[in-house]
Amino acid sequence: MPAVSDRLPVFPWDRLEPYKATAAAHPDGIVDLSVGTPVDPVPPLIQAALSEASDTPGYPTVWGTTELRDALTGWVGRRLGATGVTHRNVLPVVGSKELVASLPTQLGIGPGDRVAFPRLAYPTYEVGARLAGAEPVPYDEPTELDPTGLRLLWLNSPSNPTGRVLGKDELRAAVEWARAHDVLLVSDECYLELGWSADPVSVLHPEISGGSMDGLIAVHSLSKRSNLAGYRAAFAAGDAAVLGELLAVRKHSGLMVPAPVQAATVAALGDDAHVAEQRERYARRRSALREALEAYGLRVEHSEASLYLWSTRDEPCWDTVAALAELGILVAPGDFYGEAGARHVRVAFTATDERVDAAVRRLGY
């Protein structure tokens, strides 16, 4: 039997190891701006909620506690502006990457079907299609796709890696097109609370959805907004029929968010103060790094939201990676996210203040 891994691309991060070694040899140590993993503390109120729920010897449920579903519906209505949200419109998941990778399979998408995603994109959209045996279809504009055999359309706003935010007209057009062609639209909105020069909007907002969640799913994560990457806390919201099908499949698969993490998620979604505090940290780091990168000769494009600066020196991305590695700074090559990124690098500003300051000095700013 052919190995499932044979369907998948080579894991891209392995290619970065030699450059990581070069950066790590810097006398003052590496400044790793490649992955974008949170480095700041988990807010105390979330730690306390996790600890208080630690004595939970029984199995959790796939659909979550009543308190969790209340927290999810409340946040979706309050923060995303969605209306008519019930418990049937939300589903907790074990981190958003798990959902992205497994969604096509869990929806019964397979050989002969097609899954579309942005040409510059988080690689897991393609991985999910390939795991299901479906055809991956990168696009420049979603409304220009051939709908034949298309079962799933991914949007990503704010974008990883570019930080681009889709405007309301673009989102509405995508929603209308997907509905007209009976294609499920799934919007990855994990960076929605990290808009800088733009105000990202969810596809579930009535101005975009027309007040109906039919045919729409939004995916959200607490990894970035609440520093919970280690907790694997995320959820999907939207079309009740689609989420009901996912729930039925996931119950058989045992895909349960651990009970302490469910309690921590309730605490995180009920508090906006820690999100504002974390945004301020990222805003400072973003500003410092952007000025230093531009002074060094890089041009920052898009990047109006998310945790990355999409940058170019108008040269092959690996040349830029190599040059920065000599300064002890590690960044992600743009071609990790598709051939269209071959002349860009993605620079995360999730390092500590001390490491960001070190990068700024090394860039000569």
Side-chain angles (χ1 to χ4, degrees):
M1 181 178 295
V4 174
S5 61
D6 290 344
R7 304 178 194 169
L8 305 178
V10 174
F11 189 64
W13 294 95
D14 293 343
R15 297 166 55 200
L16 201 56
E17 285 301 316
Y19 302 92
K20 186 175 183 178
T22 298
H26 190 279
D28 186 36
I30 190 173
V31 178
D32 192 342
L33 307 179
S34 62
V35 177
T37 188
V39 298
D40 299 304
V42 173
L45 85 162
I46 301 176
Q47 293 188 48
L50 184 84
S51 177
E52 290 167 7
S54 61
D55 186 16
T56 50
Y59 289 112
T61 59
V62 172
W63 57 88
T65 63
T66 299
E67 292 78 12
L68 175 58
R69 284 175 280 154
D70 284 343
L72 294 175
T73 56
W75 188 87
V76 169
R78 173 172 58 86
R79 182 61 185 88
L80 304 186
T83 56
V85 187
T86 71
H87 285 185
R88 296 177 63 244
N89 299 113
V90 294
L91 181 66
V93 298
V94 192
S96 59
K97 184 170 185 174
E98 171 265 306
L99 182 68
V100 172
S102 63
L103 184 63
T105 298
Q106 291 176 12
L107 291 176
I109 295 171
D113 297 325
R114 302 163 72 232
V115 174
F117 48 85
R119 191 169 300 281
L120 269 171
Y122 183 46
T124 313
Y125 305 134
E126 179 179 354
V127 166
R130 292 188 179 279
L131 284 172
E135 178 188 353
V137 182
Y139 66 77
D140 295 306
E141 294 294 336
T143 57
E144 296 176 0
L145 283 162
D146 177 359
T148 305
L150 188 64
R151 296 280 307 281
L152 175 60
L153 168 63
W154 282 102
L155 297 185
N156 180 209
S157 176
S159 164
N160 173 16
T162 69
R164 181 188 174 202
V165 173
L166 296 177
K168 291 181 179 179
D169 289 344
E170 292 174 290
L171 291 171
R172 269 193 298 269
V175 168
E176 291 170 1
W177 184 91
R179 285 175 169 165
H181 296 287
D182 196 26
V183 176
L184 177 66
L185 186 153
V186 184
S187 178
D188 180 350
E189 302 174 352
C190 289
Y191 296 92
L192 185 131
E193 297 210 86
L194 295 164
W196 309 111
S197 58
D199 186 15
V201 179
S202 172
V203 294
L204 300 184
H205 192 285
E207 291 185 16
I208 309 304
S209 68
S212 167
M213 289 181 272
D214 290 350
L216 304 176
I217 299 293
V219 179
H220 285 268
S221 168
L222 281 73
S223 293
K224 308 299 193 280
R225 72 184 291 281
S226 300
N227 300 332
L228 296 188
Y231 284 41
R232 311 314 301 136
F235 62 93
D239 190 314
V242 175
L243 294 182
E245 175 63 14
L246 286 176
L247 174 60
V249 172
R250 293 168 70 85
K251 284 194 290 187
H252 283 287
S253 305
L255 291 168
M256 302 171 283
V257 176
V261 175
Q262 293 190 30
T265 300
V266 173
L269 293 177
D271 178 74
D272 292 333
H274 78 275
V275 180
E277 182 179 346
Q278 189 60 44
R279 278 180 54 85
E280 290 176 3
R281 292 191 187 106
Y282 284 141
R284 291 193 302 270
R285 295 165 186 166
R286 177 181 183 271
S287 177
L289 275 173
R290 179 166 192 153
E291 291 178 10
L293 289 168
E294 290 176 338
Y296 179 71
L298 286 157
R299 184 175 70 255
V300 177
E301 297 179 352
H302 295 300
S303 307
E304 55 259 35
S306 82
L307 292 177
Y308 314 107
L309 294 167
W310 186 240
S311 309
T312 181
R313 281 205 307 190
D314 295 312
E315 65 183 2
C317 60
W318 288 98
D319 291 353
T320 310
V321 169
L324 291 173
E326 292 294 335
L327 300 178
I329 300 170
L330 188 68
V331 299
D335 65 4
F336 277 11
Y337 308 94
E339 293 181 5
R343 298 180 73 82
H344 289 74
V345 295
R346 193 194 74 170
V347 185
F349 44 89
T350 53
T352 64
D353 290 342
E354 184 273 332
R355 288 289 82 187
V356 169
D357 289 344
V360 169
R361 291 193 301 272
R362 294 177 196 183
L363 291 166
Y365 188 66

